[in-house]
Each structure stands twice: as structure tokens, then as C-alpha cells.
């Protein structure tokens, strides 16, 4: 058991290094996990402390808390997975392309995948209007919405089919500000985002009053999928705590 925990901890540390190298946010969770696992693996006195020093009630309480935490985490991950294969029905009135990072004036890989998925849907459904949502953040030379539009134009999508929302800085604002530009709450509307982000986006939209909203999943980077899934679980808990879902 000690060896398995130590190996798992080392893997977490290696994963943290790769995430940090590419500037992934929330990567520190893997650093902390790696340290904790290694310490547990090499704690010679852990068994003695657990069985002979800690009172039985403390051991039982600690075990219950850990089990409840694992079960809760598993349930949350199940909800995230439930939205990952989302494919919207055809001929939606609107699609909202949720913004993601722009590197200078080029879309990040995540944003490019959303753009490609949007272009595919718009080509298949010529009566659908796209709302391109996303403001301008640090390191971005243009708004995310403008970057999405520029790429869609290169892919042959007509400018008249696009509405730009260039003020938002979060998923909540993407949805809120987009609803001020078009009747997306009343009409059938699809949300284009990464697969792991679909479930939370739909929950936020329904909380805001979207009546007929559907997820349209764009693929994500397989190498970083474990990180995205863990980060998304914490994001869902945060949204629940602040009353957004």
C-alpha cells in the first residue's frame, strides 16, 4: 500500500509539472495531492498512530468523512460525464459559442475546437444564428468574441449570422449578456463549449431562465482531461455555494 501511494504521488507531481509548464490554472491541486500521497506512503508511524493512538470514535468519524467526500466527488463527476456527449437537435434558433482563452490574436486550442464545432453546426443548419460570447482578458489582443468571428469568417460563415457579445468574463456572464442581445431564453438555443463544461453551462443557463437550452459538446485535450474533470467538480461546488445553480 505504501509503495502504491508513493507511486501515485509521484505521478501526481509529474502531472503537476506538465500542467504548470503550460500555465494551466488550478494545477496546484495536483501538487498538493502528490505531496499528501507521498507523505502517507512514507509515514512509518501511520499504522501505529491509526490503530493505537487515535480514539476509535475519531477513526470512525474520519473514515465516514473520507467516504462521504469520495462518494460526493464521484456523484459530481458522474453529473459532469452525463453532459459530455451532448449533441443538440437540428435547426436551433440560436447557438451561443462560449468564449475561451485567446493567445494574442489567435485562439487557444480549446477555443479553436469550439469554433470548429460551431462552424460544423452552422453549415449543417443554415437558419441558425450564432452569438459569439467573450470579452478581453490578460494576454489577449482582442476580445474572444472577435477572435471567434474572425475564425468563422475564414471558414466561410457569413457575418450576418453572427452576433458579438464582447463584455463577459465568465460563463455566467456569457449567458447573461447574450440574453440581452437576442431572445435566447425563449427560443431553442444550443451552448457550444468543451465536453466537460457542458453540464455546468446548462445548469447555469436554466438557473437564469433559459427554457429550451441544449449542450453541444466540443472535444477537449485527452492529456489534460483528468485535470479538467477535477477542476470542473470544484467549479460546480463553487457555483452551488454562491447560488448560481
Amino acid at each position: 500500500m505504501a509503495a502504491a501511494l508513493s507511486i501515485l504521488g509521484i505521478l501526481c507531481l509529474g502531472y503537476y509539472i506538465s500542467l504548470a509548464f503550460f500555465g494551466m490554472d488550478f494545477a496546484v491541486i495536483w501538487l498538493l495531492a502528490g505531496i499528501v500521497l507521498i507523505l502517507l506512503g512514507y509515514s512509518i508511524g501511520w499504522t501505529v498512530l491509526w490503530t493505537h493512538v487515535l480514539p476509535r470514535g475519531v477513526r470512525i468519524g474520519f473514515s465516514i468523512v473520507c467516504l462521504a467526500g469520495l462518494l460526493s466527488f464521484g456523484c459530481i463527476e458522474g453529473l459532469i460525464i452525463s453532459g459530455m456527449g451532448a449533441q443538440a437537435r437540428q435547426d436551433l434558433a440560436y447557438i451561443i459559442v462560449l468564449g475561451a482563452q485567446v493567445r494574442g490574436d489567435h485562439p487557444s486550442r480549446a477555443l479553436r475546437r469550439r469554433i470548429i464545432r460551431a462552424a460544423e453546426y452552422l453549415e449543417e443548419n443554415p437558419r441558425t444564428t450564432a452569438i459569439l460570447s467573450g470579452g478581453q482578458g490578460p494576454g489577449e489582443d482582442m476580445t474572444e468574441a472577435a477572435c471567434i468571428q474572425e475564425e468563422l469568417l475564414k471558414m466561410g460563415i457569413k457575418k450576418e449570422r453572427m452576433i458579438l457579445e464582447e463584455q463577459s468574463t465568465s460563463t455566467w456572464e456569457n449567458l447573461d449578456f447574450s440574453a440581452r442581445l437576442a431572445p435566447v431564453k425563449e427560443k431553442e438555443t444550443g451552448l457550444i463549449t468543451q465536453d466537460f463544461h457542458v453540464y455546468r453551462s446548462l445548469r447555469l443557463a436554466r438557473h437564469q431562465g433559459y427554457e429550451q437550452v441544449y449542450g453541444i459538446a466540443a472535444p477537449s485535450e485527452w492529456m489534460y482531461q483528468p485535470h479538467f474533470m477535477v477542476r470542473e467538480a470544484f467549479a460546480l461546488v463553487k457555483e452551488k455555494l454562491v447560488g448560481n445553480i
Side-chain angles (χ1 to χ4, degrees):
M1 175 61 103
L5 288 173
S6 298
I7 292 172
L8 188 57
I10 292 171
L11 290 174
C12 286
L13 292 179
Y15 195 49
Y16 163 73
I17 292 172
S18 68
L19 293 171
F21 179 79
F22 289 102
M24 291 283 183
D25 60 342
F26 205 63
V28 69
I29 192 68
W30 296 97
L31 173 63
L32 296 176
I35 292 172
V36 169
L37 288 170
I38 290 173
L39 289 176
L40 286 177
Y42 283 92
S43 289
I44 298 175
W46 175 254
T47 302
V48 174
L49 174 66
W50 179 256
T51 58
H52 299 292
V53 178
L54 292 177
R56 184 169 182 270
V58 173
R59 298 199 306 268
I60 293 175
F62 181 77
S63 298
I64 291 174
V65 170
C66 289
L67 181 60
L70 288 173
L71 288 174
S72 298
F73 182 78
C75 289
I76 293 172
E77 290 297 336
L79 292 173
I80 294 170
I81 292 171
S82 71
M84 291 181 66
Q87 298 295 328
R89 65 181 64 187
Q90 299 299 301
D91 292 321
L92 295 173
Y94 296 95
I95 58 170
I96 300 176
V97 186
L98 303 181
Q101 187 178 26
V102 173
R103 302 186 184 279
D105 58 358
H106 291 83
S108 61
R109 285 184 290 185
L111 184 57
R112 181 169 295 281
R113 288 170 184 259
R114 299 183 191 189
I115 294 169
I116 292 172
R117 187 67 189 92
E120 291 172 348
Y121 189 89
L122 291 169
E123 288 173 354
E124 295 168 1
N125 301 274
R127 292 181 292 181
T128 300
T129 298
I131 300 177
L132 318 179
S133 181
Q136 185 173 357
E140 298 180 333
D141 295 340
M142 61 196 308
T143 66
E144 295 165 6
C147 181
I148 297 169
Q149 182 184 57
E150 188 175 278
E151 295 300 314
L152 286 176
L153 288 171
K154 293 177 183 177
M155 296 177 184
I157 306 300
K158 295 184 181 299
K159 189 174 183 179
E160 301 78 51
R161 299 180 65 193
M162 306 179 208
I163 299 173
L164 270 64
E165 183 287 296
E166 300 183 273
Q167 304 301 319
S168 58
T169 59
S170 66
T171 304
W172 177 271
E173 291 184 352
N174 288 150
L175 299 167
D176 184 23
F177 296 170
S178 294
R180 304 179 190 184
L181 301 177
V184 290
K185 290 185 178 181
E186 297 78 25
K187 301 289 187 178
E188 289 190 324
T189 300
L191 306 180
I192 294 186
T193 187
Q194 253 65 43
D195 48 13
F196 62 85
H197 188 231
V198 168
Y199 177 78
R200 177 159 61 102
S201 300
L202 291 175
R203 287 291 302 273
L204 290 169
R206 288 167 184 151
H207 190 81
Q208 289 189 19
Y210 281 67
E211 297 173 359
Q212 303 178 77
V213 63
Y214 307 91
I216 304 176
S220 52
E221 300 278 345
W222 68 267
M223 178 179 177
Y224 304 119
Q225 194 76 333
H227 175 63
F228 294 146
M229 298 289 286
V230 170
R231 184 184 65 182
E232 191 67 11
F234 281 91
L236 270 169
V237 172
K238 177 187 173 183
E239 300 286 12
K240 184 65 176 179
L241 290 175
V242 300
N244 286 344
I245 59 175

